[in-house]
Amino acid sequence: MSTAVNEHKPSLLRRVLVICVPILIVVGFFVAMQTIVALKKEPEEKRRPFNTLAVMADYAVKEDVFLTVNAQGEAQPSIEIDLVPEVGGKIIYVSPNFVQGGTIKKGETLIRIDTRDYDVALIRAKAGVAQAQQILAREVAEGDVAARDYEDLGIGGTPSPLALRIPQRQQAEASLQAAQAEVQAAELQLTRTSVRAPFDGRVKSKSSDIGKFVSPGSPLGRIFSADIIEVRLALSDADLSKLDLPLAFSAKSRKDAPKVELSAVVAGKRRLWDGSIMRTDSTYDTQTRALFAIVEVFDPYGKGASEDGVPLAPGLFVDAKIIGKSYENVIVIPRDGLRPANKVYVVNDKGKSQIRDVEVIDTNSKRAIISSGIEGGELVILSPMEESRTTMTLKALDINDPSNVLVDPPEPEWMKKAAEKKAAEAEDGKKKKKKRGKDTDTDGPPKRKSDESNAGADTGSSDNSTAGGGDN
């Protein structure tokens, strides 16, 4: 009997454990979870800090403008020729002004060729004239004799021209004219021995000198006119759209011609000259597809020189600035403010930006001229910036003075509320701390443990002594 009961006890205990252990595990897990949830603190709400993007900006300005066209060209004389003799011979005289860079005057004798051969030819020609005159006089006299003889014969009728020696007289007259022409030719050849300057100008080069034998047409040097210097400017179709220059344009006068400012660096300093577009080519250049405008500078070595007297010399490469069409009340912004695809970024007084599509009239390296899309007085962003960043709050700085803040965006409402809440909590903390200090002063200073223990000991000993006395 006892053996059966002992065998039954482990079986019952096992069943109890199988049932109770899972229940205890589930209850413990539930209690643990409730404890963790109860002890867990609610996370503090945090917001992204308020950051602004600083950009450079400037105001759009409304004003009247003139379009300008910039071009380049080389200064060239309007007339440049090779100086050549018309007759041959030995050079016996060279003008002291006929040197490279020399100044020459119209009609001045630059080179003289030996005239002796041409003097002899002139004398020979004059002798031929005298002989022809003698022959003509003889033929005239013989004709008169023939006419009288015909009348003396009494034949009657009209004598023939041959009987009157008219053909012989006409031949003598022709011979006289030929002889006179020979004289004129000899005189002309003699005058050609002196090579004269055909215009006022300068000597570019010299290739002959005294003692040299030259033949007709051989180069003596090269000269150019100093009255007018020309500059050919290549104008593209875009340039022509800014100007009022028709094809095959020709100015009626220098006063009415479009004005051009020419400039070049000479001796380390930029010099300026005033010119006028007097005409354009009648056709486009087939290689560059450009139309050339011819600018003239009158008297470049005199009144047309720069303010400090520097002449516009041939061969000088110059920059040209042409004044073109005018526009009134258009918007002008710095060139950096114009983005690709004719877009402009503007920012308002709250730091919010907008993307504007604009109509562009003209641009150069410094400015952009806009007809529509923005208004005067709007703040244009000049800093390089991706289009995706225009959604950010911006802080605008003056491009001319970065220390000058043009737009300082205000703090958002959530930041203001957070600041107010923080200030209120700080104030409450100060009040609680102050109240806690007052309560401590009212109750007095706390007693030390050593004093309490001593007091207890004294009381005990007194009680003991009283009790002992009672016993006695």
Side-chain angles (χ1 to χ4, degrees), residues 3-243:
T3 304
V5 172
N6 291 335
E7 293 178 353
H8 183 69
K9 276 185 177 182
S11 176
L12 180 61
L13 180 60
R14 186 179 297 109
R15 290 181 181 178
V16 172
L17 292 175
V18 169
I19 296 172
C20 293
V21 168
I23 295 174
L24 291 175
I25 292 174
V26 172
V27 171
F29 180 76
F30 180 76
V31 172
M33 289 298 296
Q34 291 296 327
T35 305
I36 292 173
V37 171
L39 296 176
K40 184 180 179 181
K41 294 183 179 181
E42 185 177 354
E44 183 181 356
E45 183 180 1
K46 292 185 177 180
R47 290 181 178 266
R48 180 180 295 179
F50 179 62
N51 294 326
T52 59
L53 177 64
V55 295
M56 296 297 179
D58 201 359
Y59 290 102
V61 180
K62 179 179 288 188
E63 60 184 26
D64 301 336
V65 298
F66 285 91
L67 299 186
T68 59
V69 173
N70 296 317
Q72 296 81 32
E74 182 181 355
Q76 300 175 346
S78 59
I79 302 174
E80 183 175 347
I81 62 172
D82 288 324
L83 191 66
V84 296
E86 298 180 81
V87 297
K90 183 180 180 180
I91 299 176
I92 61 173
Y93 170 79
V94 176
S95 171
N97 295 327
F98 188 62
V99 291
Q100 190 166 346
T103 301
I104 57 177
K105 298 295 182 181
K106 182 177 181 179
E108 178 184 356
T109 299
L110 303 179
I111 288 178
R112 186 179 296 119
I113 297 173
D114 190 358
T115 62
R116 288 177 293 180
D117 293 339
Y118 301 98
D119 291 334
V120 172
L122 179 58
I123 294 172
R124 187 181 295 114
K126 288 181 178 180
V129 170
Q131 185 178 1
Q133 288 175 343
Q134 186 270 334
I135 294 172
L136 177 60
R138 185 178 62 191
E139 289 296 334
V140 171
E142 289 181 355
D144 293 340
V145 172
R148 287 195 300 269
D149 290 344
Y150 188 82
E151 290 178 358
D152 292 342
L153 291 175
I155 299 175
T158 303
S160 64
L162 186 59
L164 298 177
R165 299 187 65 84
I166 293 177
Q168 291 82 348
R169 187 180 65 185
Q170 290 177 344
Q171 183 181 4
E173 290 175 350
S175 298
L176 177 59
Q177 290 178 353
Q180 291 173 344
E182 288 294 331
V183 172
Q184 291 179 356
E187 290 175 346
L188 183 60
Q189 290 293 86
L190 183 60
T191 59
R192 286 174 175 173
T193 57
S194 296
V195 181
R196 303 178 186 276
F199 45 71
D200 294 340
R202 306 293 292 267
V203 179
K204 184 177 182 180
S205 63
K206 177 185 176 183
S207 56
S208 297
D209 213 332
I210 191 169
K212 182 178 180 180
F213 185 88
V214 294
S215 57
S218 60
L220 304 175
R222 192 164 182 84
I223 61 176
F224 62 88
S225 173
D227 293 338
I228 296 175
I229 291 294
E230 295 181 347
V231 179
R232 291 174 57 84
L233 303 177
L235 301 178
S236 64
D237 190 67
D239 294 334
L240 292 174
S241 66
K242 304 175 187 179
L243 307 173

Side-chain angles (χ1 to χ4, degrees), residues 167-460:
Q168 291 82 348
R169 187 180 65 185
Q170 290 177 344
Q171 183 181 4
E173 290 175 350
S175 298
L176 177 59
Q177 290 178 353
Q180 291 173 344
E182 288 294 331
V183 172
Q184 291 179 356
E187 290 175 346
L188 183 60
Q189 290 293 86
L190 183 60
T191 59
R192 286 174 175 173
T193 57
S194 296
V195 181
R196 303 178 186 276
F199 45 71
D200 294 340
R202 306 293 292 267
V203 179
K204 184 177 182 180
S205 63
K206 177 185 176 183
S207 56
S208 297
D209 213 332
I210 191 169
K212 182 178 180 180
F213 185 88
V214 294
S215 57
S218 60
L220 304 175
R222 192 164 182 84
I223 61 176
F224 62 88
S225 173
D227 293 338
I228 296 175
I229 291 294
E230 295 181 347
V231 179
R232 291 174 57 84
L233 303 177
L235 301 178
S236 64
D237 190 67
D239 294 334
L240 292 174
S241 66
K242 304 175 187 179
L243 307 173
D244 292 323
L245 286 180
L247 190 66
F249 165 79
S250 180
K252 296 181 180 179
S253 64
R254 197 177 303 277
K255 182 179 179 181
D256 299 331
K259 303 304 177 185
V260 181
E261 182 184 87
L262 303 176
S263 63
V265 176
V266 179
K269 183 179 179 181
R270 182 160 290 276
R271 322 286 177 165
L272 302 177
W273 300 273
D274 295 327
S276 303
I277 298 179
M278 299 305 298
R279 63 189 184 279
T280 62
D281 284 349
S282 57
T283 59
Y284 280 83
D285 186 84
T286 56
Q287 295 181 349
T288 62
R289 311 309 304 171
L291 182 68
F292 280 88
I294 292 87
V295 178
E296 292 186 356
V297 177
F298 182 73
D299 192 15
Y301 288 85
K303 296 180 180 179
S306 64
E307 292 183 355
D308 48 0
V310 177
L312 180 60
L316 191 63
F317 194 79
V318 297
D319 298 321
K321 182 179 179 182
I322 310 172
I323 304 300
K325 297 178 180 177
S326 62
Y327 290 87
E328 297 180 355
N329 296 326
V330 293
I331 304 301
V332 179
I333 64 173
R335 180 61 182 85
D336 292 338
L338 184 62
R339 313 283 172 166
N342 291 342
K343 294 183 182 295
V344 173
Y345 300 164
V346 297
V347 59
N348 59 18
D349 57 352
K350 295 183 179 180
K352 301 299 181 181
S353 61
Q354 294 180 350
I355 301 176
R356 305 279 184 85
D357 294 320
V358 296
E359 294 291 333
V360 180
I361 298 175
D362 182 44
T363 61
N364 56 29
S365 60
K366 295 182 179 180
R367 68 177 186 178
I369 303 174
I370 297 172
S371 60
S372 62
I374 59 175
E375 298 294 333
E378 288 192 285
L379 200 56
V380 179
I381 300 173
L382 306 181
S383 298
M385 188 172 67
E386 297 178 359
E387 187 173 341
S388 59
R389 305 188 73 179
T390 55
T391 57
M392 297 181 63
T393 303
L394 304 179
K395 181 178 182 179
L397 308 179
D398 191 351
I399 186 66
N400 300 313
D401 182 11
S403 62
N404 181 22
V405 180
L406 301 178
V407 173
D408 193 2
E411 295 180 348
E413 291 296 327
W414 65 265
M415 181 172 284
K416 293 180 180 179
K417 292 180 179 180
E420 293 175 356
K421 182 178 179 182
K422 189 174 181 180
E425 291 176 352
E427 186 66 24
D428 291 342
K430 290 181 180 179
K431 290 181 179 180
K432 290 179 180 179
K433 187 175 181 181
K434 187 176 181 181
K435 184 177 180 181
R436 196 181 303 114
K438 290 182 178 179
D439 294 341
T440 304
D441 294 340
T442 304
D443 296 339
K447 294 181 178 180
R448 290 181 299 180
K449 290 183 179 181
S450 58
D451 297 338
E452 293 176 354
S453 61
N454 292 333
D458 295 339
T459 305

